[in-house]
Amino acid sequence: MLAGRADTGLRLARAAGLALLLSAAFRRSGWFFDRDGHGFVALLAAFGLAAFLRGDPGGWRLAQGSRGGRLPLAAACCIGLALLYAARSLGSPVSVQGSVEEALRWLSFGSLALVLAAWQRKERRPESAVSAAAWALQGFSAFAAASSLAAWCGWIVGPDFMLRTADGRLSATGARLAGYLQYSNALGAFAAALLAWQWLVLARSGSPRLRRSAAWLAPPCLAVLLLSESRGALLALLAAAVPGLLLARRLSSRAEPGPGRPALRAERLRWLLAAWSSLPGAVALVAIARFRERATEAALAQDAAVWLALLAASAAGAVWIEHTMAPSSERLSQPATASAAGPAAVLHAGIRSAAVLLLGAAAALSLSRGGGWDRFDPAEPTSAATGASRLLLYRDGWAAARESWLFGYGARAWELLRGSFQSAPYAAGEVHSGYLDMLLTAGAPGLALLLALGAALLAAAGAKGALGAVPAASLLLHAAIDVDMCYGAYWLLLLVLSAAGASLAPPASAARTEGGDG
C-alpha cells in the first residue's frame, strides 16, 4: 500500500515537472532563440547525466521487446547530432557560435530521451498506472490552449501573438492566432498534435480521470487549431491519421490476441467518434472568440462575460464528449449487446450527428460569406501562392545543399548564405523544411540521423498500435513544410508524445487495471 502511494506521488511529481518544462519552453517563444534555452540545456543535461549514471549498463541495451528500448535509440541519435555539430564547429562553419548552440540543443534533447527511458524502465506497475508523460501532456495542453485563447482575447499581450491583416492570402478572416510561439503555422502544428493526443486518450485510455481531462481539452485544442488557420497543420493531421486508422486494427490485433480483440478492433471507431464529438465544443469556442474580436473593434467587449462564456462552452463540450463516448464505447467493446440498445439509442445518435453537421455547415457558411473560403480552396490562385513560394525556397535550398552535401555548412546556414543562392526576391529567414535545413547544416550524415530519430520516435509511440503514433507523425510531417524543428519546444513535445504513446495501454488491457490510474 505504502509503495503504491509512493509510486503515485513520484509519478505526479514527475508529471508536474515535465509539464512545467514544456510550458516554460512554450512560453519562451517555444525556445526558438538560442538565448532563451541556456537554462533548459543545463537542466536537461544534468538530469540526463544523472539518469544515465543511476541506470545499470545492461538496462540500456536495446533488446527486442524491452520497455523503453526505442527511446535510448532516439537519445543516441540526438547525441550523434550533437557530436556532428560540435565537430563541425571545429572546422569552418558559417557560424561557430551557432554550431555550438545547436550541439548543446541536441545534447539536451538526448538527455530528455534518456530521462524518459529511465522513467519507463523503472515503472513498477507499467500497465496499471497512467505514466507521468501522459499527465504532463494534459497539463501542457491546458496551458497551451488557455494561453493561446487568452492571447486571442487580448488578456495576454506580446509581439506577434496575433496576425491581423486584410490580405486574403494570409488570413481568411482577417485575424490568425499565433500565441507564445509568435507564428500561426507552428501553433497550429502544436495544437494538431495535442488534439490527436486527446483523441487517442479518449479512444484508448482505461483511466476515467485521464479520459475526463481529454474531454475537457479536446475542444479547446481544436479551437486553437482552427483559429490559427494553419492549412498545413490540418493536412499533416489528416495525412498522419489516415494510415494510423487503416493500420490500427491489424497492428492492435497482433499486439493483443485473445478475448480483447473485439475491443481493440473498435479502437479506430472510438477515435473517429472522439474527433466527431469534439466539433460542437470547438465551434462554440471559435464563435465566442470571433465575437470577442468583433466586440473589441466596436468597443463592446466585456471580459468577464467572455471568460464565463468560454468556460461554459468548454464545460458543455466536455459533457457532450463524455455523453457521446461513454455509451458508444460500451457498445463498441461489447458488440454482442449492441442490438439491445434499441431505436432510442439510434435516434439519439442521429440527433447528435445532425447537430454536429448543422454546426459545421453554419461555420462553413459564415466563412464563405466573409470571403475567406478562397484561402482554403486549392483551385484559387491566392491559395496556391504559398505553395509556389515554398517550392522556390526548396529549389534554392537544394541547390545550396548539393554544393556541400557531405558535411553541410553548419548551423544558421540558410540565414547567412541565402543571398548566395537566391534566385528570386524573398525575405524568408528560414528554409521552411526541417529536413532540408538539416541537410544544409549537417549534411547527409545529419539527415540520416534525423530520419533515424524520427523512425525511433514513431516506433516508440506506436508500440501498442499505429494510432499511438498519429500525434508524433503529424508533427514530423508538418516539419517537412515549415520551420517547426527550429523550436526547441517542438522536440521536447515530440519526445514526450512518443513516451506517452508507448505507455498508453489499449482498452482491452487497460480496462483490466482501471482502478490504478494514479
Side-chain angles (χ1 to χ4, degrees), residues 243-258:
L245 289 167
L246 292 176
L247 295 172
R249 176 176 176 177
R250 179 170 61 86
L251 295 182
S252 295
S253 298
R254 288 179 180 176
E256 293 282 345

Side-chain angles (χ1 to χ4, degrees), residues 53-87:
L53 293 178
R54 290 181 62 184
D56 61 296
W60 294 108
R61 288 180 300 185
L62 306 180
Q64 185 176 4
S66 64
R67 183 171 176 80
R70 298 171 183 86
L71 285 177
L73 177 58
C77 292
C78 293
I79 294 172
L81 285 167
L83 293 175
L84 270 181
Y85 279 107

Side-chain angles (χ1 to χ4, degrees), residues 4-94:
R5 290 181 179 177
D7 285 348
T8 299
L10 182 59
R11 257 192 319 275
L12 292 177
R14 288 171 173 172
L18 198 53
L20 184 61
L21 172 68
L22 288 167
S23 301
F26 183 82
R27 189 177 182 275
R28 298 285 290 180
S29 303
W31 186 1
F32 185 87
F33 303 103
D34 291 329
R35 64 175 182 271
D36 293 329
H38 294 153
F40 300 129
V41 169
L43 180 67
L44 289 171
F47 277 102
L49 181 62
F52 181 78
L53 293 178
R54 290 181 62 184
D56 61 296
W60 294 108
R61 288 180 300 185
L62 306 180
Q64 185 176 4
S66 64
R67 183 171 176 80
R70 298 171 183 86
L71 285 177
L73 177 58
C77 292
C78 293
I79 294 172
L81 285 167
L83 293 175
L84 270 181
Y85 279 107
R88 193 69 183 87
S89 68
L90 299 176
S92 301
V94 293

Side-chain angles (χ1 to χ4, degrees), residues 24-347:
F26 183 82
R27 189 177 182 275
R28 298 285 290 180
S29 303
W31 186 1
F32 185 87
F33 303 103
D34 291 329
R35 64 175 182 271
D36 293 329
H38 294 153
F40 300 129
V41 169
L43 180 67
L44 289 171
F47 277 102
L49 181 62
F52 181 78
L53 293 178
R54 290 181 62 184
D56 61 296
W60 294 108
R61 288 180 300 185
L62 306 180
Q64 185 176 4
S66 64
R67 183 171 176 80
R70 298 171 183 86
L71 285 177
L73 177 58
C77 292
C78 293
I79 294 172
L81 285 167
L83 293 175
L84 270 181
Y85 279 107
R88 193 69 183 87
S89 68
L90 299 176
S92 301
V94 293
S95 172
V96 174
Q97 181 181 357
S99 295
V100 171
E101 295 279 5
E102 199 68 17
L104 292 175
R105 273 198 183 208
W106 283 108
L107 179 63
S108 67
F109 302 150
S111 298
L112 178 59
L114 288 176
V115 170
L116 293 171
W119 289 358
Q120 285 188 343
R121 219 176 53 254
K122 293 181 179 180
E123 283 281 356
R124 294 185 181 180
R125 298 177 302 156
E127 300 298 337
S128 65
V130 178
S131 72
W135 279 118
L137 281 175
Q138 298 306 85
F140 173 62
S141 298
F143 176 80
S147 64
S148 298
L149 291 173
W152 178 280
C153 294
W155 302 332
I156 298 177
V157 180
D160 300 322
F161 281 13
M162 291 287 298
L163 171 64
R164 292 185 171 90
T165 177
D167 190 344
R169 295 172 299 177
L170 299 178
S171 174
T173 59
R176 293 180 65 184
L177 178 60
Y180 279 123
L181 298 183
Q182 301 176 18
Y183 182 46
S184 298
N185 289 339
L187 180 64
F190 275 56
L194 294 174
L195 176 63
W197 165 254
Q198 307 307 328
W199 291 344
L200 178 66
V201 169
L202 288 167
R204 178 180 288 185
S205 176
S207 165
R209 295 172 186 167
L210 194 66
R211 287 199 307 268
R212 188 169 297 115
S213 69
W216 273 86
L217 291 169
C221 288
L222 179 52
V224 171
L225 174 58
L226 295 174
L227 291 171
S228 73
E229 293 188 18
S230 176
R231 298 167 296 184
L234 286 167
L235 288 174
L237 177 57
L238 180 62
V242 169
L245 289 167
L246 292 176
L247 295 172
R249 176 176 176 177
R250 179 170 61 86
L251 295 182
S252 295
S253 298
R254 288 179 180 176
E256 293 282 345
R261 289 181 66 179
L264 288 167
R265 289 180 176 180
E267 183 183 60
R268 58 180 172 185
L269 297 179
R270 283 190 295 270
W271 195 92
L272 289 169
L273 187 61
W276 182 255
S277 59
S278 301
L279 286 173
V283 170
L285 288 170
V286 170
I288 295 168
R290 293 294 180 191
F291 171 79
R292 174 65 168 76
E293 179 77 7
R294 291 170 184 152
T296 300
E297 295 174 359
L300 297 174
Q302 297 291 330
D303 287 344
V306 173
W307 189 89
L308 289 174
L310 290 172
L311 182 61
S314 298
V319 171
W320 177 281
I321 292 174
E322 290 187 325
H323 177 71
T324 303
M325 292 291 296
S328 301
S329 295
E330 293 172 4
R331 291 195 300 274
L332 289 171
S333 61
Q334 299 176 1
T337 63
S339 59
V346 176
L347 178 61

